[in-house]
Amino acid sequence: MTRVGFFPHNNSLWVLRHRGILERSLPDVEWVDLRSLPAGDRPAPTQGLPSLHGDHLFDGGYDFIGTGSTPPVTAQARGHDIVYVAISGPRVDNGRLVALPGSGIASPADLAGKRVALGHGSWQTTLLLLALDQAGLTWHDIEPVDAGNEGARLLLDGKVDAWTGSYPALAEVESETRPVTLIETAGLFSHRSLWFTRRDFAVRHRDVLAAIVGALQESDAWIRANPREAAALFAADDGADLDAWEHALRGRPFGLLPVSDDFVAEQQRAADLLHANGLLDRKITVADAVLPDLADLVTRA
């Protein structure tokens, strides 16, 4: 039996879970909702990174997972022998760093001493850290607030000074005000979806990986052709506005790509910054998590 972890933040796996495509080739697949698993220790955002996604690959939680850019870096730093399977195209339109009009905050350089909300441990940590580094600031120059899914409301209520926002939640802010963009994601990093597994699983179950990747490619093609129908699968879960979800999905790339040298270099830069700012206990080499022959598997799919 193969266990596949899924949650709404990886749009591709969420839709695949609800459409029955993978079951045609893997009828005994078991779907594991990440939100149902024990959360484990969650360090303060000034002290470290949560490692939920990587840890459960190695404690029997699941065999395959998709996330954003930060969790696999965290997993490697925890000593987990992960392997990247595939990446998405850039998702630079998915979100950005914003503040409220009239706040006096116009750029990342103005964030010194400010409270900044983010979903800590997600791609938002990487975005914020890269923005701070570009402005000559460090993680310790701000007060990071681990906001989970409440960042939009915290910003609108004035409880934080800035937010690393993403759609569809960013649409809530845009419907009430005209947020000030402090920095776009484009130009900082590519903000891709990533899919990864354990090395032993990648080596021993190549046919299963091929089935999963092929099913994801088919499902992603359906999302591109039917964005509103796909949006309904998310709106039904979280009660968010259907139009907002459709807007979010239309702005994201779908389809799996092989791991590229540019992506590895980008991940390495992020990993080095996370370590330098005290969020990772040790340095890692991102290339250690790449099996070059998996590129052929993704290309064939």
Side-chain angles (χ1 to χ4, degrees), residues 4 28 34 38 120 129 141 149-150 205 217 239 242 282-283:
V4 177
D28 63 344
L34 270 64
H120 187 50
L129 189 55
D141 291 319
N149 295 323
E150 302 302 317
H205 301 287
Q217 297 283 40
L242 179 60
R282 64 187 183 96
K283 290 185 176 182

Side-chain angles (χ1 to χ4, degrees), residues 187-247:
L188 277 182
F189 81 125
S190 59
H191 176 29
R192 302 171 188 266
S193 284
L194 319 174
W195 294 268
F196 56 103
T197 185
R198 302 184 306 275
R199 184 176 301 273
D200 69 292
F201 189 85
V203 171
R204 298 175 186 173
H205 301 287
R206 196 60 61 90
D207 57 335
V208 174
L209 274 188
I212 295 172
V213 171
L216 280 166
Q217 297 283 40
E218 181 180 342
S219 182
D220 273 15
W222 180 85
I223 298 172
R224 288 195 300 269
N226 304 277
R228 190 161 187 83
E229 290 86 342
L233 298 175
F234 296 89
D237 175 73
D238 64 10
D241 181 71
L242 179 60
D243 291 338
W245 263 115
E246 182 181 0
H247 175 266

Side-chain angles (χ1 to χ4, degrees), residues 7-29:
F7 67 144
H9 295 298
N10 187 277
N11 303 153
S12 297
L13 281 170
W14 181 262
V15 172
L16 184 65
R17 166 65 182 92
H18 289 86
R19 299 208 62 244
I21 294 173
L22 182 56
E23 285 78 357
R24 298 202 303 259
S25 53
L26 293 178
D28 63 344
V29 63

Side-chain angles (χ1 to χ4, degrees), residues 93-114:
D93 294 329
N94 184 44
R96 59 193 186 276
L97 183 58
V98 299
L100 292 180
S103 65
I105 301 173
S107 75
D110 298 324
L111 293 177
K114 303 297 186 182

Side-chain angles (χ1 to χ4, degrees), residues 87 192 258-268 286-287 290 292:
I87 61 178
R192 302 171 188 266
V259 173
S260 66
D261 291 342
D262 286 346
F263 164 75
V264 172
E266 181 179 81
Q267 284 287 89
Q268 187 65 57
V286 173
V290 178

Side-chain angles (χ1 to χ4, degrees), residues 152-203:
R153 183 43 51 190
L154 289 177
L155 181 68
L156 288 169
D157 289 347
K159 295 180 179 178
V160 296
D161 302 294
W163 172 49
T164 49
S166 59
Y167 293 102
L170 189 52
E172 177 186 349
V173 175
E174 292 173 337
S175 71
E176 296 191 29
T177 188
R178 297 185 66 180
V180 176
T181 296
L182 306 184
I183 197 166
E184 299 279 3
T185 301
L188 277 182
F189 81 125
S190 59
H191 176 29
R192 302 171 188 266
S193 284
L194 319 174
W195 294 268
F196 56 103
T197 185
R198 302 184 306 275
R199 184 176 301 273
D200 69 292
F201 189 85
V203 171

